[in-house]
Amino acid sequence: MLNGKQKRFLRSLALNERAIFQLGKDGLSDNYIEQINNALGARELVKISVLKSGPSDLKEVSFDLARLTKSEVVQIIGRTIVLYRKGKSPKIILP
């Protein structure tokens, strides 16, 4: 579980990153979850853009994503979700 200071640190890192995934009308398919899992394993911090044609309840979608990928929701801002999962050999050193 991330504390406030750690979430602020991760949000500052995510600020300069571009969203590498887009979630559209297809929603959370097994393939999509697998791709996010792989990205979290490689980079630890993943930014996902939810398209207007995508799911309308962002909180529900973000918590489902976090549960299915065993990650944590760092931030939901606008239609963008930021997820974090600590890697086996951490690249991001949390404060």
Side-chain angles (χ1 to χ4, degrees):
M1 193 75 188
L2 297 170
N3 63 33
K5 188 175 187 178
Q6 291 170 330
K7 281 190 178 184
R8 281 192 300 276
F9 175 72
L10 290 170
R11 281 197 301 260
S12 73
L13 291 178
L15 191 65
N16 300 322
E17 294 292 318
R18 293 181 50 184
I20 59 170
F21 290 103
Q22 291 184 332
L23 184 60
K25 65 179 186 237
D26 296 336
L28 301 176
S29 65
D30 291 339
N31 188 31
Y32 192 79
I33 300 293
E34 181 73 27
Q35 287 178 346
I36 291 178
N37 247 331
N38 293 339
L40 281 166
R43 15 174 66 209
E44 296 179 354
L45 193 65
V46 172
K47 206 168 183 181
I48 302 160
S49 173
V50 181
L51 303 175
K52 290 195 186 307
S53 63
S56 58
D57 189 354
L58 288 180
K59 277 192 175 179
E60 185 180 325
V61 168
S62 64
F63 291 117
D64 284 345
L65 266 172
R67 182 178 48 83
L68 293 168
T69 59
K70 296 175 180 63
S71 61
E72 290 194 55
V73 177
V74 174
Q75 182 179 38
I76 303 169
I77 187 164
R79 298 192 64 80
T80 303
I81 301 167
V82 179
L83 296 177
Y84 169 79
R85 183 176 70 200
K86 187 175 182 176
K88 290 183 174 77
S89 57
K91 295 175 181 66
I92 300 173
I93 308 300
L94 295 175

